Amino acid sequence: MNAVEHLYIHIPFCLGKCVYCGFYSVTADTGTRVRYAASPARELRSFVESGMADVRPRTLYVGGGTPSLLGCDGLTALFSSIRNTVSLDRLEEATVEINPADTTPLLFQALRGLGVTRISLGAQSFSDDTLRRIGRRHNAQQIREAVRDARAAGFPDVGIDLIAGLPSVSMREWRETLDEAISLSLQHLSVYALSVEPESVLARSQERFSIPTDEAMLDALSEAENVLSESGFLRYEISNYALQGFECRHNLAVWRGEDYLGLGPAAASRVARFRWTNARDADTYLDRWGEAAATNFPTENREELSPVEDAIERVIFRFRLAEGIDWKRDLVANPLLQEIAPRWEKVLVSLVPHGIVRRTPTGFALTRRGREVCDAVLAELR
Ligand code: SF4
């Protein structure tokens, strides 16, 4: 039987909505959050009992929403219920996303005691004005304190998320945010380009915000790469930077085409040739899994890919990674991809003189310019 080695758990609660946010989250009282904590383990048990695959996690990623809203007790209940359902003996990495507004030294100590190895803080900016304008609950000082407390609790790997191209942010302010981030001696930084998500406040009231032009966005991303690479960070994936050895193994596995199981409303999964997303409905999720294991949770977009589609999808996202694709290992050695290899080679070779693709010792990777047009390159290959 196949083994799924990567687990994602979605915590669908927030205290409000940040203006740019397109993630699935709802507000909920403390009782609902406490009730939710053991629910993902019930969904997991049902998956294991379905016999579709074994689950032996090497990585576990708790994201959201706002996982830190579960508090010490909720996160303890979450981890122990997962541990009671599948063995975590092989776990190499466990990440929890934390909102800097929710942190206490006690929370970090509790997470360390639960075996969490990575902390990912949703910082987004170091300007208090900008943080207020985009609806974040924390300020810059709380980010600094959260990093300090995480380190004091013994976390070897602390990272933050930033958003490039936030409304009304000048290049000078962006540069100050990057400099602040560098000064915190972090191990990992995610830098996401602002996108106007269809259901976000930003999309509904664009006239209230000054959204950057494509050119300004590219300048902000380029500045991030300049500043971070000068400080020793490798841009190992389009939106992710790390010091050597601190790349997020969970995300690397996803980009490298490995199977993963997502638990919780709106969580996506890829197992064998199947892809599905759980329905975006926390109430129904709690009805099904809140008290006891029940029938399968309704999913959206469940599809079974053909063997060739599955093979292409697993290899194509490697282009998001700095390492790119290994021509022999990823394509030629796979009988399912031998037919498309000549077409891909033609496209990739034609992009080399334009500075979009470069040859590596074993295959091809996108250049810095290529990363700006990654989606267009992938569309050419499909
Ligand atoms: S950005 Fe994060 S904290 Fe803000 S509403 Fe979305 S999920 Fe919640």
Side-chain angles (χ1 to χ4, degrees):
M1 200 192 307
N2 284 347
V4 176
E5 298 186 319
H6 308 285
L7 267 188
Y8 172 81
I9 302 177
H10 190 68
I11 310 300
F13 306 118
C14 290
L15 292 186
K17 207 69 186 162
C18 305
V19 300
Y20 54 86
C21 181
F23 296 116
Y24 176 69
S25 69
V26 292
T27 52
D29 55 33
T30 313
T32 306
R33 286 186 245 146
V34 169
R35 223 174 117 226
Y36 181 84
S39 308
R42 298 196 185 98
E43 186 192 354
L44 174 59
R45 182 175 300 282
S46 166
F47 176 84
V48 170
E49 287 172 355
S50 75
M52 189 175 175
D54 227 356
V55 180
R56 285 177 296 198
R58 285 198 292 119
T59 73
L60 172 60
Y61 195 106
V62 184
T66 312
S68 43
L69 280 183
L70 293 186
C72 289
D73 291 351
L75 287 164
T76 303
L78 175 79
F79 273 81
S80 49
S81 58
I82 295 289
R83 205 178 285 279
N84 287 337
T85 308
V86 292
S87 165
L88 295 185
D89 288 354
R90 298 177 180 206
L91 200 62
E92 297 166 8
E93 177 190 276
T95 305
V96 178
E97 290 181 352
I98 301 283
N99 186 318
D102 301 329
T103 63
T104 59
L106 215 59
L107 176 72
F108 288 120
Q109 285 156 19
L111 290 173
R112 200 72 188 116
L114 292 171
V116 175
T117 59
R118 293 183 77 242
I119 292 295
S120 176
L121 291 157
Q124 320 313 355
S125 166
F126 280 88
S127 155
D128 287 344
D129 281 347
T130 297
L131 289 168
R132 238 188 328 268
R133 215 165 349 101
I134 62 174
R136 299 293 302 184
R137 291 189 288 127
H138 66 271
N139 58 35
Q141 184 56 20
Q142 285 173 304
I143 307 170
R144 296 180 199 110
E145 287 168 7
V147 171
R148 183 199 62 203
D149 290 346
R151 199 153 290 130
F155 281 99
D157 188 349
V158 181
I160 65 171
D161 290 359
L162 296 176
I163 301 180
L166 283 169
S168 307
V169 171
S170 64
M171 184 56 94
R172 183 178 164 177
E173 181 185 317
W174 177 232
R175 178 70 203 225
E176 283 166 4
T177 276
L178 292 167
D179 288 345
E180 271 263 14
I182 297 292
S183 73
L184 292 175
S185 306
L186 301 159
Q187 282 70 43
H188 194 278
L189 268 134
S190 298
V191 180
Y192 298 107
L194 178 77
S195 75
V196 181
E197 297 298 321
E199 289 172 25
S200 65
V201 175
L202 213 51
R204 288 200 302 274
S205 40
Q206 292 202 32
E207 66 292 344
R208 271 177 47 212
F209 298 96
S210 147
I211 312 272
T213 60
D214 289 351
E215 201 176 60
M217 174 63 79
L218 289 178
D219 285 349
L221 291 171
S222 181
E223 185 68 0
E225 180 158 7
N226 292 342
V227 171
L228 296 176
S229 57
E230 273 166 25
S231 299
F233 284 90
L234 172 70
R235 190 179 185 182
Y236 70 97
E237 192 271 335
I238 288 184
S239 306
N240 286 289
Y241 295 80
L243 298 182
Q244 196 173 10
F246 289 95
E247 299 84 357
C248 173
R249 292 183 201 189
H250 180 87
N251 288 337
L252 270 181
V254 173
W255 297 122
R256 284 175 177 158
E258 296 181 37
D259 282 356
Y260 56 91
L261 180 67
L263 305 171
S269 299
R270 168 170 68 203
V271 180
R273 287 196 281 114
F274 293 93
R275 312 285 185 271
W276 69 90
T277 306
N278 283 350
R280 293 161 68 99
D281 185 344
D283 286 339
T284 311
Y285 190 87
L286 273 165
D287 284 349
R288 301 287 172 104
W289 307 112
E291 310 299 341
T295 52
N296 283 336
F297 183 63
T299 56
E300 291 172 352
N301 311 323
R302 189 180 177 91
E303 56 176 344
E304 182 177 5
L305 273 53
S306 73
V308 173
E309 286 169 337
D310 176 58
I312 291 175
E313 200 236 10
R314 283 174 192 272
V315 80
I316 203 165
F317 289 107
R318 282 180 176 268
F319 280 106
R320 290 188 62 98
L321 295 169
E323 66 196 27
I325 60 164
D326 183 311
W327 194 252
K328 278 199 188 125
R329 183 197 62 201
D330 299 333
L331 262 95
V332 180
N334 186 341
L336 292 167
L337 296 179
Q338 280 170 4
E339 212 167 287
I340 67 152
R343 185 172 68 78
W344 276 29
E345 187 168 27
K346 203 168 155 205
V347 171
L348 294 169
V349 168
S350 76
L351 293 173
V352 172
H354 298 283
I356 290 172
V357 166
R358 65 186 171 86
R359 288 182 185 275
T360 65
T362 55
F364 295 93
L366 295 183
T367 60
R368 185 170 172 152
R369 163 88 186 107
R371 286 196 285 268
E372 293 173 358
V373 292
C374 175
D375 290 346
V377 174
L378 301 194
E380 283 274 309
L381 296 174
R382 284 186 186 282

